[in-house]
Amino acid sequence: MDRLKMLEKEGLLKSRQGSRAVGKFLQNKLAVLGLMVFAVILLASVFAPLITKYDPAMIDLRSRLSPPSWQHLFGTDKLGRDVFARVLYGGRISILVGFGGALGAALVGVSLGTYAGYKGGWLDRILLRVSEIFMAFPQIILVLLLVSILGQSLWNLLVIFTITGWGSVYRMTRSQMLSIREEEYVQALKAFGLSDALIAYKHMLPNALGPIMVNLTLSTAMFILEETALSFLGLGVPLHIPTWGNILNAAQDLTILQEAWWIWVPVGIVISAFVLSINFIGDGLRDAVDPTQQG
Amino acid sequence: MLTYTLRKLLMLIPMLLVITFLIYVGLELTPGDAVSYMVGPDALANMSQEKLNELREALGLNDPFIVRYLRWLGRALRGDFGYSLTSGVPIKDIVFSRLPATLELSVAALLFSTLLGSILGMASALKKGSIMDVSLTVAGMIGVSIPQFFFALVSILIFSFKLGWLPSGGRTMPGYTTFLDRLPHLILPALVLGITMTAGVMRYSRSSMLDALSKDYIKTARSKGLPEWRVNLLHGFRVALTPVVVLVGFRLPMLIGGSVVVEQIFQWPGIGKEFVAAVRGQNLPLVMMIALFTVTAVLVASFLVDLITALLDPRIRLE
């Protein structure tokens, strides 16, 4: 008993629990594979200037539409820009938009959901209705509606993803809080006279973080897909900024689609691999933090 | 059942009111004076400020916001949704002329994904943990990770350009009269849309089947000595299928959103393509109205789904 208390004091018990989740995650082969693919693509994008010597915006009209070669790994596009460099640099923006949108939605959804889920009452009821309204729209319809109101820019896209995504995070956090609220330690904290905000954010929220992290991962994947779809339609990030979707935008041209596969096939595969790796990681995380969800 | 229906209706109506209100706020925020959409440009140029004000008064544009909203709502309820900015065609006519194409595509994709998804899902539930189950799960994850439009582009490249089996876009050709003539145009977009939806249906029907198979009546059926296929099909599959069908019903209006990208790529003349064109052309009244139409369809469908599930399962309506 004393030994346990000592361990607890030093925070050792907690770290052992943490490592169990890590161990469980590492046992999942697909999750580990996902983590590796994810790391490779992420690092390649971050360190793009070290990997390619080309500037993604540099136009070289003498080597237009040249197929892949040792000089241009993925060939060049209609303006002679190096496609490999564009994929690397484009990854920076696409990943940023995907992760930023998910993070924004999580920040809004979690901070509202934590408090409203704990307190309940009119605030919770109103927020629940509001989130229902947002979720009644098919996602892409709402996104495009907001694009047409706010206009096209990188920042607007982040704001739009936050607006469209907070609802589901809110509902998930809220339901987590509702079940944690019944725990005895919360009753004890209440009896101690701690403020509501302190109980909700400091003592309850950490116990709900697992599912929130899973949600953050999976919505990053979803928003990356949405960014590429929007930019493909020419309605996402402005065309002069290279993003994965903007590179694929060139394939709307039927001759490019038919004759210059190297412009759009590799980037499509990179997007698919990256999103798939995030989904594998999210799945592994879910199994690791919440075994009841395992099917 | 009546109280349940009324309660659900009482939740549906305020929500629709709030949404129409938000849409109206969006319309009012549209840059530009509403008069300029209602009067020809020649007349507008020769008009004095007083005359303009008189006109605004006559059209009711100077009334309080809430009055303008209610008047607009009244017109919308009577089926008058205003006019498209670019073509001047009534928005109602645009929506209803595009709807059949979208419905045709959606229903085809739904049928395909439901059939394939439920069969694969049930099969992997029956052989839970087998290689087939695991690889189907992985295949499902790959399916939701590939961007829909990339999948569409690859299929166009292979089946239209390389093999030349199917047309790459459009819905019909001059001289085509019957559905069978148009069928080749439908196959590719419906397959692309359907396959991307299959993963969801598969996951859902797998867990639904697993749930059904763990019930006591399955054990009873087995202990009565029924052959395994009868147990699985008549007692498991049939029960597990109900939630899947309900899910599918709810998905139909959601598909208007899902088909936006596919319709654009295959130049399918439906609501989704019209919506993208409206967003591109900053044709806000049309954008707002299509969004309103979609949301209304989604909410009404989910209301009906609630009623059906309550009819099938009395426990729900007593909650």
Side-chain angles (χ1 to χ4, degrees):
Chain A
M1 187 62 202
D2 278 346
R3 231 174 61 94
L4 270 181
K5 260 188 187 159
M6 240 169 59
L7 281 174
E8 199 172 46
K9 230 179 214 163
E10 291 162 27
L12 284 176
L13 276 184
K14 214 177 156 194
S15 80
R16 258 183 65 187
Q17 244 202 353
S19 72
R20 193 178 61 191
V22 172
K24 188 117 192 265
F25 181 82
L26 290 178
Q27 269 173 19
N28 187 333
K29 286 191 196 96
L30 287 177
V32 173
L33 179 75
L35 200 60
M36 287 192 311
V37 173
F38 174 81
V40 167
I41 297 177
L42 182 70
L43 291 177
S45 291
V46 171
F47 295 110
L50 300 178
I51 296 173
T52 175
K53 61 181 195 292
Y54 291 102
D55 177 352
M58 196 188 63
I59 295 171
D60 178 6
L61 292 177
R62 272 168 309 175
S63 57
R64 293 167 55 192
L65 290 178
S66 55
S69 63
W70 280 115
Q71 244 167 6
H72 298 286
L73 273 182
F74 291 174
T76 58
D77 68 3
K78 230 168 30 177
L79 298 171
R81 295 174 296 193
D82 182 66
V83 176
F84 184 62
R86 286 175 69 72
V87 172
L88 290 183
Y89 283 94
R92 288 177 167 189
I93 308 289
S94 287
I95 297 170
L96 184 79
V97 169
F99 185 67
L103 197 65
L107 281 179
V108 175
V110 168
S111 47
L112 289 178
T114 306
Y115 193 71
Y118 171 62
K119 280 294 280 183
W122 59 270
L123 179 71
D124 183 43
R125 273 205 295 280
I126 289 177
L127 284 172
L128 201 61
R129 285 281 163 270
V130 175
S131 72
E132 257 170 31
I133 288 173
F134 278 93
M135 290 171 76
F137 285 88
Q139 186 99 8
I140 191 134
I141 297 274
L142 185 57
V143 169
L144 284 174
L145 178 73
L146 290 168
V147 166
S148 68
I149 294 176
L150 296 177
Q152 256 177 279
S153 83
L154 196 61
W155 280 111
N156 281 354
L157 209 56
L158 285 175
V159 171
I160 289 169
F161 283 165
T162 305
I163 294 176
T164 54
W166 73 275
S168 63
V169 185
Y170 170 78
R171 296 171 79 93
M172 192 208 62
T173 313
R174 176 184 173 274
S175 70
Q176 288 287 320
M177 294 306 275
L178 284 183
S179 69
I180 296 175
R181 197 168 67 176
E182 304 303 319
E183 306 245 349
E184 270 152 12
Y185 81 95
V186 178
Q187 305 294 322
L189 291 173
K190 232 192 246 171
F192 284 154
L194 260 62
S195 77
D196 288 335
L198 200 63
I199 297 179
Y201 289 108
K202 185 160 179 241
H203 295 282
M204 289 169 71
L205 180 58
N207 289 325
L209 273 183
I212 292 172
M213 291 302 293
V214 174
N215 187 289
L216 184 70
T217 327
L218 296 178
S219 44
T220 303
M222 186 184 76
F223 284 134
I224 287 180
L225 282 182
E226 263 174 39
E227 183 276 324
T228 54
L230 281 180
S231 300
F232 172 74
L233 294 175
L235 294 168
V237 180
L239 255 182
H240 62 89
I241 304 172
T243 73
W244 285 342
N246 277 343
I247 300 171
L248 267 158
N249 186 282
Q252 289 209 331
D253 182 343
L254 284 187
T255 41
I256 298 237
L257 179 68
Q258 240 174 320
E259 314 280 336
W261 59 269
W262 58 86
I263 295 178
W264 59 275
V265 173
V267 69
I269 293 173
V270 168
I271 298 170
S272 309
F274 193 71
V275 172
L276 183 62
S277 75
I278 297 179
N279 280 334
F280 279 156
I281 294 172
D283 226 41
L285 272 182
R286 180 168 48 208
D287 292 349
V289 298
D290 185 5
T292 53
Q293 289 273 314
Q294 222 161 356
Chain B
M1 192 63 205
L2 189 67
T3 42
Y4 180 80
T5 314
L6 282 177
R7 216 172 61 216
K8 283 280 160 190
L9 256 181
L10 280 179
M11 280 163 77
L12 176 71
I13 290 167
M15 220 159 129
L16 276 174
L17 278 179
V18 173
I19 288 173
T20 51
F21 187 75
L22 289 177
I23 295 272
Y24 187 69
V25 170
L27 276 175
E28 287 268 320
L29 289 178
T30 314
D33 191 346
V35 173
S36 52
Y37 309 144
M38 300 178 178
V39 185
D42 299 344
L44 197 67
N46 296 326
M47 214 175 264
S48 67
Q49 194 60 43
E50 283 118 58
K51 197 90 191 291
L52 206 66
N53 256 337
E54 242 170 63
L55 194 66
R56 293 177 64 89
E57 194 66 48
L59 289 170
L61 293 173
N62 288 341
D63 290 342
F65 183 79
I66 195 78
V67 174
R68 279 178 284 155
Y69 162 66
L70 287 176
R71 194 181 298 135
W72 171 83
L73 187 66
R75 279 205 309 270
L77 283 179
R78 269 174 278 138
D80 174 10
F81 293 104
Y83 298 86
S84 159
L85 280 190
T86 42
S87 58
V89 177
I91 287 174
K92 188 180 69 171
D93 294 355
I94 297 181
V95 170
F96 282 103
S97 68
R98 303 287 186 231
L99 194 58
T102 297
L103 279 181
E104 184 180 294
L105 179 60
S106 307
V107 169
L110 259 186
L111 283 179
F112 176 77
S113 67
T114 310
L115 218 64
L116 188 67
S118 58
I119 290 173
L120 290 180
M122 308 273 166
S124 66
L126 286 178
K127 299 255 183 290
K128 185 175 179 245
S130 69
I131 297 172
M132 186 192 74
D133 179 30
V134 174
S135 41
L136 274 179
T137 309
V138 173
M141 286 182 86
I142 295 174
V144 296
S145 301
I146 298 176
Q148 202 181 39
F149 61 92
F150 181 60
F151 190 49
L153 291 175
V154 172
S155 65
I156 289 179
L157 181 69
I158 296 176
F159 295 105
S160 305
F161 292 151
K162 294 279 184 252
L163 298 174
W165 288 352
L166 295 162
S168 67
R171 186 186 177 206
T172 183
M173 295 277 265
Y176 282 11
T177 45
T178 61
F179 177 72
L180 273 184
D181 286 337
R182 291 192 282 112
L183 191 62
H185 286 266
L186 179 63
I187 292 176
L188 264 191
L191 275 187
V192 168
L193 193 58
I195 284 179
T196 45
M197 287 159 47
T198 302
V201 181
M202 191 174 85
R203 199 178 301 171
Y204 194 69
S205 56
R206 178 178 180 272
S207 65
S208 170
M209 184 73 176
L210 281 178
D211 192 46
L213 285 180
S214 68
K215 292 276 162 61
D216 282 341
Y217 58 76
I218 293 284
K219 273 185 212 137
T220 314
R222 262 202 200 110
S223 60
K224 281 196 300 188
L226 287 181
E228 194 65 9
W229 65 268
R230 277 197 73 132
V231 175
N232 288 335
L233 274 184
L234 293 186
H235 295 255
F237 192 75
R238 218 184 49 185
V239 175
L241 203 62
T242 324
V244 177
V245 169
V246 169
L247 172 93
V248 164
F250 180 64
R251 279 199 163 198
L252 188 62
M254 273 286 179
L255 270 180
I256 298 180
S259 64
V260 164
V261 176
V262 170
E263 282 186 10
Q264 183 62 31
I265 294 174
F266 289 99
Q267 293 297 307
W268 189 262
I271 290 187
K273 185 164 170 286
E274 196 64 39
F275 189 65
V276 171
V279 173
R280 278 189 180 154
Q282 282 292 301
N283 190 349
L284 268 162
L286 187 54
V287 172
M288 295 288 183
M289 283 308 162
I290 292 180
L292 180 59
F293 174 79
T294 321
V295 160
T296 311
V298 170
L299 286 176
V300 170
S302 74
F303 169 71
L304 293 178
V305 168
D306 281 346
L307 289 194
I308 293 169
T309 30
L311 267 179
L312 292 175
D313 187 349
R315 282 170 303 179
I316 293 173
R317 65 184 111 119
L318 293 175
E319 255 174 33

